[in-house]
Amino acid sequence: MEIDDINKIIDFNKKYARVIGALQTSFLSSDYSFTEAHILSELNFKPNSSATIINEQLHLDEGYLSRVMKKLEKNGLILKKQSLNDKRMYLLSLTDKGKIVYKKLNKLSSDLVIESTDHLNDNEKKELASLLEKVKKLILK
Amino acid sequence: MEIDDINKIIDFNKKYARVIGALQTSFLSSDYSFTEAHILSELNFKPNSSATIINEQLHLDEGYLSRVMKKLEKNGLILKKQSLNDKRMYLLSLTDKGKIVYKKLNKLSSDLVIESTDHLNDNEKKELASLLEKVKKLILK
DNA sequence: ATTTTTTACTTGCTTAAGTCAAATATATAA
DNA sequence: TTATATATTTGACTTAAGCAAGTAAAAAAT
């Protein structure tokens, strides 16, 4: 890859690390972290997944994830029931309370996106969303 | 902003938080963090800046930044000298050793970018760099 | 069939990276 | 000359995460 292109990517990473950092800081005032919100959102779209399945998207340390799941269960946001087919696994799903918290955190995410794009006009916002979608597709390819 | 566009951005943030996370993990094996590397790179391009000036790019906690600077000085990577005009400030610059470490960390960043884009062909790599550059310009606007 | 290896999850321990609040010193404004 | 703002530092604390070792169950190899 050309050195120029590499530098563009490095440069972006440095900048965006700060964007993500600010995002994480904004979640501090809620009872859940940005990562926990991500976990809840995965569980919302894939109910009855095991921790391992969820972790295909998140790539977290297994031990850490296990503790997060324990917290979420303790707080009544998720339900854990041992799989009958494979007793090593626990199938996880959001409780009603979990769904409410998920929605609340999603609202927080939206608000933060709106706030952080406040300086852009409508066309620019649309372009940003479109660019990021393309990037996402490329990195997941 | 349209809900669809908001969700695209939220979605990207979730994904890219993991990319940044992996990047930070990769720096653990070096003696400096991803953030410290960023600080060194700022100092490389803007020698004789104060901590506050550097922090315009980084938005870190001042106390944390102060400690990082202390570490960098202790390790002989930067030189701190009190400004004569304004004795509250300390002008910071890379030492020769600091420049060497900066280059080493930059090489690490490059290697990680190359590695993380390994699954893309040349055109896709070029497109990725170009998209990220555009995103950067938009978020900085 | 039973030993070996792999997989899913848990637990104990540690650390990096940061936050928050209070203090000091200097500079600027009232 | 008093009050306010800015630049930096220090102390105390948090949290998000990693690593290593363990348990239990399942799958593969013998």
Side-chain angles (χ1 to χ4, degrees):
Chain A
M1 180 157 35
E2 260 176 67
I3 185 78
D4 243 38
D5 289 335
I6 293 177
N7 282 333
K8 280 175 189 166
I9 298 177
I10 291 178
D11 230 52
F12 175 81
N13 284 341
K14 286 194 285 205
K15 277 275 160 281
Y16 220 76
R18 300 296 125 210
V19 173
I20 300 287
L23 217 49
Q24 284 165 338
T25 303
S26 303
F27 270 76
L28 281 178
S29 49
S30 86
D31 295 336
Y32 300 96
S33 69
F34 180 73
T35 297
E36 286 165 342
H38 191 173
I39 291 169
L40 290 176
S41 119
E42 287 297 319
L43 283 173
N44 185 61
F45 290 108
K46 294 181 207 144
N48 294 310
S49 298
S50 67
T52 297
I53 295 288
I54 296 300
N55 212 22
E56 281 172 12
Q57 305 304 315
L58 284 144
H59 311 290
L60 295 166
D61 176 74
E62 294 172 342
Y64 177 58
L65 184 57
S66 170
R67 267 180 264 262
V68 169
M69 292 307 188
K70 196 195 256 179
K71 171 187 169 184
L72 297 178
E73 190 189 20
K74 181 173 157 250
N75 290 8
L77 306 197
I78 68 171
L79 217 99
K80 270 174 78 167
K81 63 169 208 270
Q82 196 169 31
S83 160
L84 295 178
N85 307 338
D86 184 340
K87 290 195 208 142
R88 292 170 303 179
M89 294 196 335
Y90 293 82
L91 303 181
L92 308 161
S93 53
L94 294 184
T95 60
D96 287 352
K97 184 179 174 193
K99 285 175 195 163
I100 291 169
V101 172
Y102 159 69
K103 275 177 198 150
K104 208 192 70 185
L105 294 172
N106 216 42
K107 172 76 166 61
L108 174 57
S109 284
S110 292
D111 290 348
L112 292 170
V113 165
I114 290 169
E115 195 185 311
S116 68
T117 55
D118 192 42
H119 61 297
L120 301 176
N121 67 36
D122 282 1
N123 280 339
E124 288 166 337
K125 283 175 193 176
K126 200 142 205 66
E127 199 200 342
L128 178 63
S130 152
L131 289 168
L132 292 180
E133 192 186 25
K134 281 178 192 154
V135 172
K136 199 188 90 178
K137 280 179 184 157
L138 276 175
I139 61 179
L140 291 185
K141 202 159 188 201
Chain B
M1 178 155 38
E2 260 178 67
I3 184 79
D4 242 39
D5 289 335
I6 293 177
N7 282 334
K8 280 176 189 166
I9 297 177
I10 292 178
D11 229 54
F12 175 81
N13 284 340
K14 286 193 285 204
K15 277 275 158 282
Y16 219 76
R18 300 296 127 210
V19 173
I20 301 286
L23 218 48
Q24 284 165 337
T25 303
S26 303
F27 270 76
L28 282 178
S29 50
S30 86
D31 294 338
Y32 299 94
S33 69
F34 180 73
T35 298
E36 286 164 342
H38 191 173
I39 291 169
L40 290 176
S41 119
E42 288 297 318
L43 283 173
N44 184 61
F45 290 107
K46 294 181 206 144
N48 295 310
S49 297
S50 67
T52 298
I53 296 288
I54 296 299
N55 212 22
E56 282 172 12
Q57 305 304 314
L58 284 144
H59 311 291
L60 295 168
D61 177 76
E62 294 171 341
Y64 176 57
L65 184 56
S66 170
R67 267 180 263 261
V68 169
M69 291 307 187
K70 196 195 256 180
K71 172 187 169 185
L72 296 178
E73 190 189 21
K74 181 174 157 249
N75 289 8
L77 306 196
I78 68 172
L79 217 99
K80 271 173 79 167
K81 63 168 207 266
Q82 195 170 31
S83 160
L84 296 177
N85 307 338
D86 185 341
K87 289 196 210 145
R88 290 171 304 179
M89 295 196 333
Y90 292 83
L91 304 181
L92 308 160
S93 53
L94 293 184
T95 60
D96 288 350
K97 184 179 173 194
K99 285 175 195 163
I100 291 170
V101 172
Y102 158 68
K103 276 177 198 150
K104 207 191 71 184
L105 294 172
N106 217 41
K107 172 74 164 62
L108 174 57
S109 285
S110 292
D111 290 347
L112 292 170
V113 165
I114 291 169
E115 195 184 310
S116 67
T117 55
D118 193 41
H119 61 298
L120 301 175
N121 66 36
D122 283 0
N123 280 339
E124 288 167 338
K125 284 175 191 175
K126 201 145 202 67
E127 199 201 342
L128 178 64
S130 152
L131 289 169
L132 292 181
E133 192 186 24
K134 282 178 191 154
V135 172
K136 198 188 89 178
K137 280 179 184 156
L138 277 176
I139 61 178
L140 291 185
K141 199 157 189 199

